[in-house]
Structures are given as C-alpha cells and as structure tokens.
Amino acid sequence: FEDVELEFGSEPIYDRITFDVGPEEFVAILGPSGCGKSTSLRIIGGLLEVTSGAVTVDGRQPKDAWDDLAYVFQSSRLVPWRNALKNVTLGMEMRSNDLKKSEMIERSQELLNMVGLQKDMEKFPSMLSGGERQRVAIARALAVDPKIILMDEPFAALDLNTRQRLRSELISIWNQTKKTIIFVTHDIDEALLLADRIVLLSDKPTRVIETIEVKDERPRIIEQSDVLRSYRNNLTDLFKKLENTSQKIVN
C-alpha cells in the first residue's frame, strides 16, 4: 500500500495509508471496529478499487494476482452437503487447475491431517464444532497452494479456549508452510501472540498510526514478557483514546 486513499461516496475511509508485507511474513492488521481493516483485504483481493495511491501484490495489480491468494473468513463458509474432505477439494476444483481428482483427494487428506482432522474427513459441517469447521476452512485455503493467505478475524466467533488452541495451531501450520499471512483482528492479545509485525490503524478517516515489530519467540505468553505486557498496556490505552474521540465526534 502506497499513499492509499479510499472514499465511499463522499465519506473518506483511508487517509494516505502506507504499509507493506514481506514474503513468508505474518502481519496483523489491528485497529478499532469500523476502521476499515477488512476493507484492506478486499483491496488486496482485487474486489475494491482505491480512490488514489497504489496497491500491488507481488509486483502486480490485485486483480491480476487473485490466483496467488486464498481467504479464511470469520465464518467457515463450508458447503453443508459436502463432507470435510470434499470441502477442501472444492477450492482446488474452483480454481480449475490441472490436478487429477486423486491428487486433489490426496492433498486434501494431507492437509486435514495437518490441521488435526484425520479422523473427521467424512463428517459433514453440521457434525463438526466451530473450531473444527475453521480448521477445514484453513485446510481449504492451503489446498490451492497460495502465496498469501488473507484471514479476516477467523477466530472471533469462537469461544476463548478454542481461540487459544487454534492460534497455537495456526502458528504451527505457518511454520510448516511458510505462507505469507495477513491477519485482520481487533484483539490486541491475538495480534501480539501471532504476528511478526502489527500494522496499527486509527479510526476513520483511517491512517497507519505505527508499525510494531514483535520480536519475542513463539510460543508467546504475554504475562511472562515485559515487552509484550508493555505493548498490551500501550495499545489498550491508545484504543481507549480512539474510542473516546469517536464518541465525541458522534455526539
């Protein structure tokens, strides 16, 4: 993103946003609700054009790079009449690649094994928990072998214990696959636990407040790190200020 501005009608959304993401990097986009975090993923995916500035994905226009991308949404968006295995093959089928059906099945089995669902491949979405459905969604994203995975608050709808478990599993998967991950969240702890770098966004009209590099080794426990606790406290205070500013504008 280079000096990106975005308007919806006459409403300014982005105010000269600039940031980048490197190969194999795990970057969290963090900001208050409604600031346009998910909008950044739509722009990267070529679903939304910016008003001014430039956005490139691996040196190309977003609309030309869609085959290097895969999405994981807050909702798993699984097809209810397909079992877990066939939901993973669906991504490959829709990309119209040259893989044989047997190759798709083999790859899907390997990925479901990676996400810990080797015993649940024949189960339909209604038979899976919320966390298991999100694991299938992650496997489906990996199945098309993207360079970049865009994750839009994928754990936000899950209970606390499931979120914590899937965060750990996601880091394990990222270490194995070396994919570039851009992870949208409004959860400060989640960003600190997962990301190499955090792109911190302001309220609208949105700008990049700062980019935070998180150097603590994984797995991370915030309570056991002075640096992470300091980041958490500073970000919490900043979010409170942003919320107060928003309320004054509304009033």
Side-chain angles (χ1 to χ4, degrees):
F1 280 56
E2 296 180 12
D3 291 328
V4 170
E5 296 188 347
L6 178 68
E7 295 180 356
F8 289 161
S10 59
E11 181 185 6
I13 307 298
Y14 285 171
D15 180 15
R16 298 178 66 87
I17 282 184
T18 297
F19 71 89
D20 60 8
V21 180
E24 301 182 8
E25 194 174 20
F26 196 130
V27 170
I29 298 179
L30 177 68
S33 296
C35 72
K37 300 184 297 295
S38 298
T39 298
S40 68
L41 300 189
R42 298 188 188 99
I43 292 170
I44 294 168
L47 303 176
L48 188 64
E49 292 189 3
V50 301
T51 305
S52 65
V55 178
T56 55
V57 180
D58 198 22
R60 293 176 288 168
Q61 295 297 310
K63 64 181 180 180
D64 298 323
W66 70 271
D67 54 340
D68 284 338
L69 304 172
Y71 288 84
V72 180
F73 300 95
Q74 184 171 331
S75 169
S76 60
R77 302 192 182 188
L78 302 183
V79 177
W81 57 86
R82 282 187 171 228
N83 62 25
L85 182 67
K86 291 183 179 178
N87 261 289
V88 177
T89 62
L90 179 61
M92 291 179 277
E93 294 167 10
M94 293 182 69
R95 289 289 172 105
S96 301
N97 57 36
D98 297 328
L99 287 177
K100 297 178 181 178
K101 184 176 181 180
S102 59
E103 293 174 318
M104 292 183 185
I105 291 174
E106 183 178 358
R107 179 181 291 183
S108 299
Q109 290 172 334
E110 291 173 353
L111 291 169
L112 286 169
N113 183 64
M114 178 187 291
V115 300
L117 293 177
Q118 58 270 29
K119 297 181 179 179
D120 301 298
M121 296 184 187
E122 300 302 321
K123 291 183 178 180
F124 290 88
S126 61
M127 303 165 68
L128 300 171
S129 68
E132 289 169 336
R133 289 194 291 271
Q134 284 300 77
R135 291 186 201 179
V136 176
I138 292 170
R140 182 179 58 192
L142 290 168
V144 298
D145 195 24
K147 290 183 178 179
I148 303 166
I149 301 178
L150 307 175
M151 308 190 82
D152 191 0
E153 301 195 62
F155 308 145
L158 304 175
D159 64 84
L160 178 60
N161 289 334
T162 303
R163 282 205 306 272
Q164 291 174 338
R165 185 169 65 251
L166 286 186
R167 288 169 185 167
S168 296
E169 292 177 1
L170 177 60
I171 289 300
S172 177
I173 292 167
W174 173 68
N175 281 326
Q176 292 180 64
T177 61
K178 300 302 181 183
K179 300 297 182 183
T180 302
I181 294 181
I182 305 174
F183 189 103
V184 160
T185 183
H186 64 268
D187 187 314
I188 293 170
D189 283 7
E190 188 164 66
L192 290 171
L193 291 169
L194 293 177
D196 293 319
R197 286 190 300 128
I198 300 170
V199 177
L200 180 61
L201 300 183
S202 72
D203 205 350
K204 290 187 291 190
T206 305
R207 57 187 175 82
V208 176
I209 298 175
E210 64 177 311
T211 300
I212 300 168
E213 186 174 359
V214 187
K215 297 182 178 181
D216 285 49
E217 292 186 4
R218 302 176 181 89
R220 297 169 182 161
I221 301 175
I222 294 176
E223 290 73 17
Q224 295 180 6
S225 168
D226 291 339
V227 173
L228 293 180
R229 285 202 310 273
S230 177
Y231 280 145
R232 175 201 267 169
N233 293 337
N234 291 339
L235 288 168
T236 300
D237 290 342
L238 179 57
F239 269 44
K240 288 179 180 177
K241 291 178 182 177
L242 291 173
E243 289 173 0
N244 291 336
T245 301
S246 297
Q247 290 174 357
K248 289 179 181 178
I249 291 172
V250 170
N251 293 334

